[in-house]
Amino acid sequence: MKQVQNSIPENCICVVGIPFDKNSSFLKGAALAPAQIIKSYFSDSSNLWSEKGCNLEAIEHLYDYGDLGFKIGEDEFNTLTNFVEKVVDQNCHLICLGGDHSVTYPVIKAHAKKYNKLNILHFDAHPDLYDTLDGNIHSHATPFARIMEKKLAARLVQAGIRTMNGHQLEQAEKFSVEVHEMKDILNWPHEFQFDGPVYLSLDLDCLDPAFAPGVSHHEPGGMTTRQVIDIIHTFKGQLIGADIVEYNPDRDINSMTSMVAAKFLKEIIARIYEDTN
Ligand code: MN
Ligand code: MN
């Protein structure tokens, strides 16, 4: 993974950090995540091969943009949408490292202009379908309500959910969201299937806190790291972009969670590379 020098080259796979946690409702800290995840990605404790045999060091067109800069007083969502729009327009595949989960809405907004039948595969403990939370329509608990009401996705498929409530169930029904809750894990599809482009939105709290303590919301009863990797490997469809969000370094123990995020990053890069080559 090379550093971007002047501008992002065309036709590349690019990792970008979004140091933003203003819309986190319970704890701040996710803004510090991207640099830690990159540090774990390059940690000498592991290597730079994906599990399925892709040597990430040999991918010529893989770039690290570093953190996106925000100026004081600007509208961060606009900056983010404009940035992503430019990058996907030059046929690049973007992997955004959050940041809190609110960033997914401005990122999807840009992708939806390029991909008119976008599928979203969303891993999370939470449906993030609130109409508003604490008076904030852009809370990290609302991005998928904004995405679905603006019809930015053909399908939204959620997995790992274990905090469904009455309001969000109504929202899920209203927007025809396909929700796979943890309580039903024995009945999940053997293979997740999509027709066409797939954007993966990976909230690390989809995992049981035993696997990923470095998140703001500890919700017991979650997925294993293995289950998430297996779905990244096996789902049918073309992976065109992704985000890994909600890592909170303040809550981590011995970089356990940033290593999990870095592992997911490796497997996601490899899957995008396989799907586009
Ligand atoms: Mn979330
Ligand atoms: Mn969550």
Side-chain angles (χ1 to χ4, degrees):
M1 186 149 59
K2 295 185 282 264
Q3 298 284 320
V4 168
Q5 294 304 331
N6 298 311
S7 57
I8 298 173
E10 290 183 358
N11 304 306
C12 73
I13 301 172
C14 188
V15 180
V16 59
I18 307 170
F20 181 85
D21 60 11
K22 275 191 195 167
N23 291 320
S24 190
S25 60
F26 181 60
L27 295 172
K28 304 299 178 201
L32 301 171
Q36 291 303 317
I37 298 172
I38 292 294
K39 201 172 150 194
S40 291
Y41 177 93
F42 287 110
S43 168
D44 288 335
S45 77
S46 188
N47 64 38
L48 288 166
W49 286 64
S50 76
E51 288 188 356
K52 290 174 75 182
C54 176
N55 179 3
L56 303 176
E57 279 180 297
I59 302 178
E60 283 291 332
H61 59 290
L62 173 61
Y63 288 89
D64 172 21
Y65 181 85
D67 280 3
L68 190 62
F70 294 117
K71 295 182 196 80
I72 294 167
E74 78 181 335
D75 181 335
E76 292 96 342
F77 276 20
N78 269 338
T79 306
L80 188 49
T81 301
N82 292 338
F83 171 84
V84 176
E85 214 180 302
K86 250 173 66 184
V87 179
V88 296
D89 249 5
Q90 48 182 56
N91 291 320
C92 295
H93 297 282
L94 210 52
I95 303 163
C96 298
L97 305 178
D100 71 50
H101 214 158
S102 72
V103 302
T104 300
Y105 168 53
V107 170
I108 288 290
K109 211 169 157 183
H111 280 84
K113 289 188 183 166
K114 185 175 175 75
Y115 301 98
N116 59 9
K117 281 198 174 152
L118 188 63
N119 299 287
I120 302 175
L121 174 57
H122 167 207
F123 291 103
D124 207 321
H126 314 95
D128 292 351
L129 285 166
Y130 280 99
D131 183 47
T132 60
L133 190 76
D134 305 330
N136 181 4
I137 61 163
H138 292 307
S139 163
H140 68 159
T142 65
F144 295 95
R146 298 293 85 77
I147 287 165
M148 297 311 281
E149 71 195 6
K150 294 206 161 48
K151 302 189 179 357
L152 303 180
R155 281 175 72 199
L156 172 58
V157 177
Q158 300 184 324
I161 309 300
R162 52 197 187 277
T163 57
M164 190 56 89
N165 61 7
H167 167 66
Q168 292 189 96
L169 189 57
E170 275 174 26
Q171 294 277 89
E173 282 164 5
K174 179 175 160 190
F175 299 126
S176 303
V177 183
E178 297 161 57
V179 187
H180 298 288
E181 294 187 67
M182 284 312 294
K183 68 179 173 64
D184 304 319
I185 196 163
L186 296 177
N187 300 320
W188 286 12
H190 176 60
E191 243 169 23
F192 285 76
Q193 302 210 2
F194 299 94
D195 200 5
V198 179
Y199 179 93
L200 174 65
S201 186
L202 208 177
D203 181 332
L204 290 170
D205 68 31
C206 69
L207 296 170
D208 193 276
F211 296 92
V215 295
S216 297
H217 301 260
H218 288 164
E219 191 65 41
M223 297 175 75
T224 67
T225 308
R226 188 71 253 155
Q227 286 166 333
V228 172
I229 293 170
D230 286 347
I231 295 174
I232 294 172
H233 285 169
T234 60
F235 77 80
K236 294 277 180 279
Q238 190 200 359
L239 186 60
I240 54 90
D243 59 59
I244 301 172
V245 295
E246 295 286 336
Y247 171 49
N248 187 340
D250 292 345
R251 304 264 277 176
D252 207 358
I253 301 164
N254 298 329
S255 305
M256 275 172 72
T257 313
S258 67
M259 286 306 292
V260 171
K263 174 94 176 169
F264 289 156
L265 177 58
K266 291 174 190 175
E267 298 305 321
I268 288 168
I269 291 169
R271 175 77 201 240
I272 291 176
Y273 181 73
E274 286 160 20
D275 284 359
T276 54
N277 275 275

